[in-house]
């Protein structure tokens, strides 16, 4: 251990510690901007500078290692003045459009400027980093970029995509795409993880709230909305509630007040996905089909697979995702039952995911030329619409989803967590293989926060080797092992976002990044709580699903089901 003094207080820390870590051990908060523990420890912004007795100049606490006997000052007037000066320099090159910025009041730079007393910017703008690019699902505004590099780190290290990075030198340094192109022209998977880690408003999702307002106000259209499993455990955060709070009832009330004609649930179509995907798994196992079967409901993962692992395209489940299945049945089964022309049904999705906007636009997911889903908004965009309409969300009474496509089971709910699709499928496959109504349904071996989890599940004497992956860099690691013959599985779940949809790129932004893991854990727990409280916890027990098959689609895997609910991807 190394003994040092910080602001006159003694502390012992491991030899490998930085001054920042040592200060945090003493509960001394040194401000940071570019720093992300374990991901981006590069000392590029210099906000964390400190004085070290006997050393010349100031030193960034996030990358300066401790040594025996150091004496550090973290808030001398020299330090405070320097931090203020650094912020003024950053602000000089930052488009100061705070009032109209989507990150107003949720911006780390704004918070630092307030805390350090930055009132005016005494410097001229030095760099022109380009104009806003709105042509992708992920909108980049280089004029607001503070060059922290956090997006580049997440894109390459967590997602193994690497489509944004530093370019140019000196005052012309920028964080940009290859050739400064739109992200849509490259292998960006639209996961939105860069948005969530950006400290300012330089990255945002494409805003589709205008499209949804227009649809809701169009009397010619019958507008139905579906809500993804993970939205209800995070939406409350936008209104001051604890992460993980289940606000399903209030969310449904809010959507009805916003003017949607019907409020339905993606959890319903998650149950439907299990009926189709469980059948597909059993077919492949029994009939020598291509294995491992790999889930296909995460559109970021699908795009990643198409760009980098096209030799696994035939392993992908042919099932559309629950979002798309919902749209397909809304415009067929629901329109038929309600006596409405399918072309007049406008389907809106509320998703925790930015890649769902891309998925909804995919040509191969259309049925007879008709899109399944017409508009996708994120959890953040729904919160914005609720705020715009003056609804006092926290005060709302609860209400229930509309019937026909509003009932769901605990299995549908857990889709929102990493491991959830796997567990939901195992619950149904186990009942089908044993022809029993099994009580032991919590497959805890596939739960957890680790990036790659493997398990052997024995069902009715059949030994199933399964794996659950989250984050596309982890998907690469697993698929590389399969390619080289080091590993083999029957069934794999892949979710593009670390933690699964609860941590999707469209979820509320957590300003205090040190709390991010805890927030993720609370959202995950919120979802397992919904599952535990459900009377029905297996997809095949969903009465509305049974009714739909009986009346409209015969059996899972039927010709009609294939027409509506399945697709294929081109290599
Ligand atoms: Fe998900 Fe989904 S669980 S991808 O994470 O499968 O976005 O929440 O809606 O479609 O159901 C996201 C969440 C969904 C879909 C479902 C799946
Ligand atoms: Fe990278 Fe995902 Fe951001 Fe695209 S959306 S730039 S893949 S982090």
């Amino acid at each position: 251990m190394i003994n040092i003094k910080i602001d006159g207080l003694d502390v012992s820390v491991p030899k490998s510690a930085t001054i920042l870590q040592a200060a945090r051990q003493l509960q001394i908060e040194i401000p940071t901007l570019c720093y992300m523990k374990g991901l981006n420890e590069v000392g590029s912004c210099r906000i964390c500078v400190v004085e070290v007795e006997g050393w010349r100049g100031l030193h960034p606490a996030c990358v300066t290692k401790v040594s025996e006997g150091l004496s550090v000052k973290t808030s001398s007037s020299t330090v405070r003045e320097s931090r203020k000066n650094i912020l003024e320099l950053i602000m000089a090159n930052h488009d100061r459009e705070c009032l109209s910025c989507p990150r107003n009041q949720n911006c780390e730079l704004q918070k630092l400027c307030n805390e350090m007393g930055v009132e005016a910017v005494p410097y001229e703008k030095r760099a022109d980093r380009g104009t806003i690019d709105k042509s992708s699902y992920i909108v980049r505004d280089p004029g607001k970029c503070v060059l922290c590099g956090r997006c580049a780190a997440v894109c390459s290290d967590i997602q193994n995509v690497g489509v944004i990075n530093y370019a140019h030198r000196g005052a012309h340094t920028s964080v940009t795409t290859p050739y400064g192109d739109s992200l849509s022209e490259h292998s960006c998977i639209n996961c939105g993880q860069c948005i969530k880690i950006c400290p300012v408003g330089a990255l945002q999702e494409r805003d589709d709230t205008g499209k949804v307002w227009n649809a809701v106000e169009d009397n010619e259209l019958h507008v139905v909305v579906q809500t993804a499993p993970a939205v209800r455990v995070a939406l409350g955060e936008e209104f001051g509630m604890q992460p993980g709070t289940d606000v399903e009832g209030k969310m449904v009330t809010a959507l009805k007040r916003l003017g949607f004609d019907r409020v339905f649930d993606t959890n319903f179509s998650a149950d439907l996905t299990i009926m189709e995907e469980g059948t597909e798994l059993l077919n492949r196992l029994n009939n020598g089909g291509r294995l491992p079967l790999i889930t296909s409901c995460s559109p970021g993962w699908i795009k990643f697979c198409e760009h980098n692992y096209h030799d696994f395209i035939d392993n992908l489940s042919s099932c559309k995702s629950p979002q798309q299945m919902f749209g397909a049945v809304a415009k067929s089964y629901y329109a038929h039952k309600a006596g409405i022309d399918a072309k007049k049904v406008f389907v809106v999705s509320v998703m925790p995911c930015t890649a769902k906007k891309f998925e909804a636009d995919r040509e191969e997911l259309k049925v007879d030329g008709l899109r399944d889903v017409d508009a996708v908004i994120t959890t953040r965009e729904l919160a914005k619409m609720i705020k715009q309409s003056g609804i006092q969300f926290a005060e709302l009474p609860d209400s229930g989803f509309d019937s026909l496509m509003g009932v769901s089971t605990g299995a549908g709910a857990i889709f929102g967590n990493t491991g959830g699709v796997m567990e939901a499928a195992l619950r149904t496959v186990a009942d089908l293989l044993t022809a029993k109504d099994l009580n032991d349904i919590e497959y805890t071996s596939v739960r957890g926060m680790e990036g790659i989890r493997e398990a052997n599940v024995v069902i009715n004497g059949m030994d199933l080797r399964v794996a659950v992956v989250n984050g596309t860099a982890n998907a690469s690691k697993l698929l590389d092992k399969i390619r080289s013959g080091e590993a083999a599985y029957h069934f794999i779940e892949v979710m593009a976002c670390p933690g699964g949809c609860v941590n999707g790129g469209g979820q509320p932004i957590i300003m205090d990044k040190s709390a991010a893991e805890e927030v993720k854990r609370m959202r995950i727990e919120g979802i397992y709580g919904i599952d535990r409280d459900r009377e029905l916890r297996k997809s095949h027990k969903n009465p509305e699903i049974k009714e739909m098959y009986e009346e409209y689609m015969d059996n899972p895997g039927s010709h009609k089901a294939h027409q509506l609910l399945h697709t294929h991807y081109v290599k």
Side-chain angles (χ1 to χ4, degrees):
M1 297 294 270
I2 300 281
N3 302 302
I4 66 167
K5 258 189 203 319
I6 302 184
D7 297 339
L9 300 171
D10 292 313
V11 63
S12 294
V13 289
K15 210 166 130 195
S16 59
T18 60
I19 292 175
L20 182 71
Q21 286 163 345
R24 286 189 174 171
Q25 200 169 308
L26 285 168
Q27 321 288 329
I28 295 173
E29 194 48 45
I30 298 176
T32 58
L33 186 60
C34 65
Y35 175 78
M36 290 301 298
K37 190 166 179 265
L39 180 67
N40 201 42
E41 301 185 6
V42 292
S44 68
C45 76
R46 300 329 239 202
I47 289 292
C48 66
V49 287
V50 292
E51 266 190 277
V52 181
E53 206 176 282
W55 289 11
R56 199 173 339 142
L58 297 172
H59 302 270
C62 71
V63 288
T64 306
K65 291 267 168 15
V66 294
S67 55
E68 190 62 33
L70 280 193
S71 180
V72 179
K73 284 186 193 164
T74 70
S75 76
S76 63
S77 54
T78 312
V79 165
R80 289 197 309 273
E81 272 311 303
S82 298
R83 287 183 189 152
K84 188 175 173 197
N85 196 229
I86 289 164
L87 283 169
E88 287 165 349
L89 286 163
I90 292 174
M91 287 300 279
N93 280 331
H94 182 76
D95 282 353
R96 297 189 289 279
E97 297 164 347
C98 303
L99 282 183
S100 58
C101 180
R103 293 289 297 275
N104 190 15
Q105 298 184 9
N106 189 12
C107 167
E108 293 178 46
L109 180 62
Q110 193 178 46
K111 181 170 176 279
L112 283 170
C113 286
N114 280 333
E115 287 169 358
M116 302 293 151
V118 174
E119 285 161 4
V121 179
Y123 302 106
E124 271 180 33
K125 190 172 182 173
R126 289 287 304 281
D128 180 8
R129 300 205 184 96
T131 50
I132 190 162
D133 174 23
K134 292 189 175 177
S135 61
S136 174
Y137 302 93
I138 309 293
V139 173
R140 277 193 330 115
D141 187 349
K144 289 191 186 140
C145 178
V146 293
L147 305 181
C148 67
R150 281 163 32 172
C151 57
V154 90
C155 189
S156 46
D157 297 359
I158 305 290
Q159 299 301 57
N160 194 22
V161 174
V163 79
I164 30 176
N165 217 326
Y166 286 106
H168 313 297
R169 313 287 301 238
H172 301 290
T173 302
S174 63
V175 172
T176 186
T177 54
Y179 313 108
D181 293 341
S182 165
L183 282 167
S184 58
E185 291 172 62
H186 292 279
S187 55
C188 167
I189 60 171
N190 304 300
C191 67
Q193 289 300 312
C194 51
I195 298 175
K196 292 188 53 179
I197 208 161
C198 179
V200 296
L203 289 154
Q204 281 301 318
E205 67 270 50
R206 184 184 71 192
D207 185 341
D208 287 312
T209 55
K211 196 170 169 189
V212 175
W213 280 126
N214 288 344
V216 165
E217 281 160 17
D218 186 339
N219 292 332
E220 290 294 302
L221 295 175
H222 182 81
V223 188
V224 304
V225 61
Q226 60 167 325
T227 59
V231 172
R232 68 207 72 193
V233 293
L235 179 62
E237 293 165 37
E238 292 276 351
F239 302 94
M241 297 176 182
Q242 282 288 313
T245 309
D246 174 15
V247 297
E248 179 181 297
K250 290 183 192 303
M251 175 182 72
V252 174
T253 307
L255 289 165
K256 291 187 173 170
R257 292 202 187 169
L258 286 174
F260 291 98
D261 294 305
R262 288 288 181 281
V263 182
F264 291 131
D265 202 358
T266 317
N267 291 25
F268 160 87
S269 50
D271 281 334
L272 178 59
T273 303
I274 289 303
M275 302 305 290
E276 293 296 321
E277 200 158 338
T279 307
E280 184 182 9
L281 176 63
L282 289 174
N283 274 341
R284 290 201 194 196
L285 288 168
N286 294 334
N287 304 324
R290 177 85 169 235
L291 291 170
L293 176 67
I294 309 182
T295 59
S296 59
C297 43
S298 166
W301 148 240
I302 294 294
K303 192 160 187 280
F304 185 80
C305 183
E306 289 173 320
H307 285 295
N308 306 294
Y309 291 91
H310 38 91
D311 45 326
F312 283 90
I313 295 277
D314 291 337
N315 293 79
L316 295 175
S317 165
S318 65
C319 293
K320 291 182 183 175
S321 72
Q323 142 157 296
Q324 299 297 132
M325 283 198 185
F326 175 90
V329 291
K331 292 189 180 187
S332 53
Y333 171 65
Y334 170 71
H336 166 75
K337 291 273 280 190
I340 302 168
D341 177 2
K343 291 196 179 71
K344 297 238 159 106
V345 177
F346 189 94
V347 177
V348 174
S349 309
V350 185
M351 294 281 140
C353 171
T354 43
K356 289 280 171 194
K357 291 174 186 270
F358 158 77
E359 179 180 65
D361 281 351
R362 290 190 68 130
E363 283 297 316
E364 53 278 78
L365 297 174
K366 287 183 176 167
V367 179
D368 296 332
L370 209 60
R371 295 168 64 105
D372 293 334
V373 173
D374 299 287
V376 180
I377 52 170
T378 61
T379 311
R380 291 191 291 268
E381 288 173 277
L382 173 60
K384 189 164 116 180
M385 289 181 70
I386 293 171
K387 288 172 190 170
Q388 283 172 354
S389 68
I391 292 170
Q392 299 301 301
F393 186 79
E395 313 303 324
L396 288 177
D398 288 347
S399 41
F401 287 107
D402 287 312
S403 57
L404 211 64
M405 301 197 298
V407 173
S408 65
T409 70
I414 59 175
F415 265 58
N417 287 344
T418 164
V421 182
M422 172 67 68
E423 183 169 342
L426 291 174
R427 289 180 188 180
T428 286
V429 168
D431 271 18
L432 291 179
L433 283 174
T434 55
K436 286 185 185 149
D437 186 6
L438 296 170
N439 288 323
D440 202 2
I441 58 165
E442 293 197 357
Y443 291 85
T444 48
S445 58
V446 297
R447 296 185 181 184
M449 305 268 275
E450 303 81 24
I452 302 177
R453 305 188 293 285
E454 298 166 300
N456 278 319
V457 182
V458 182
I459 300 174
N460 209 26
M462 185 187 278
D463 208 348
L464 273 185
R465 179 113 182 105
V466 301
V468 171
V469 191
N470 57 104
T472 42
N474 289 321
S476 283
K477 284 184 201 152
L478 192 83
L479 295 180
D480 289 345
K481 274 167 89 179
I482 298 173
R483 261 182 186 165
S484 69
E486 271 175 81
Y489 307 91
H490 296 100
F491 188 26
I492 301 173
E493 176 200 299
V494 184
M495 285 289 172
C497 295
C501 288
V502 285
N503 189 39
Q507 291 284 62
I509 286 171
I510 307 154
M511 173 106 125
D512 176 6
K513 299 295 182 254
S514 63
E517 280 304 298
E518 180 58 10
V519 169
K520 200 195 305 179
R521 194 197 58 71
M522 290 165 87
R523 291 175 184 163
I524 287 175
E525 201 27 63
I527 285 204
Y528 284 130
I530 294 173
D531 171 40
R532 277 193 302 273
D533 291 346
R534 281 279 203 276
E535 205 176 307
L536 298 173
R537 299 178 68 190
K538 300 169 180 171
S539 297
H540 56 285
K541 300 281 179 186
N542 183 327
E544 288 188 344
I545 295 278
K546 287 191 211 171
E547 189 183 327
M548 187 170 68
Y549 277 111
E550 276 164 23
E551 286 191 21
Y552 201 70
M553 285 192 299
D554 306 325
N555 297 308
S558 68
H559 177 68
K560 183 94 175 162
H562 265 271
Q563 236 181 347
L564 293 172
L565 310 177
H566 290 252
T567 187
H568 66 279
Y569 303 98
V570 183
K571 274 186 223 175

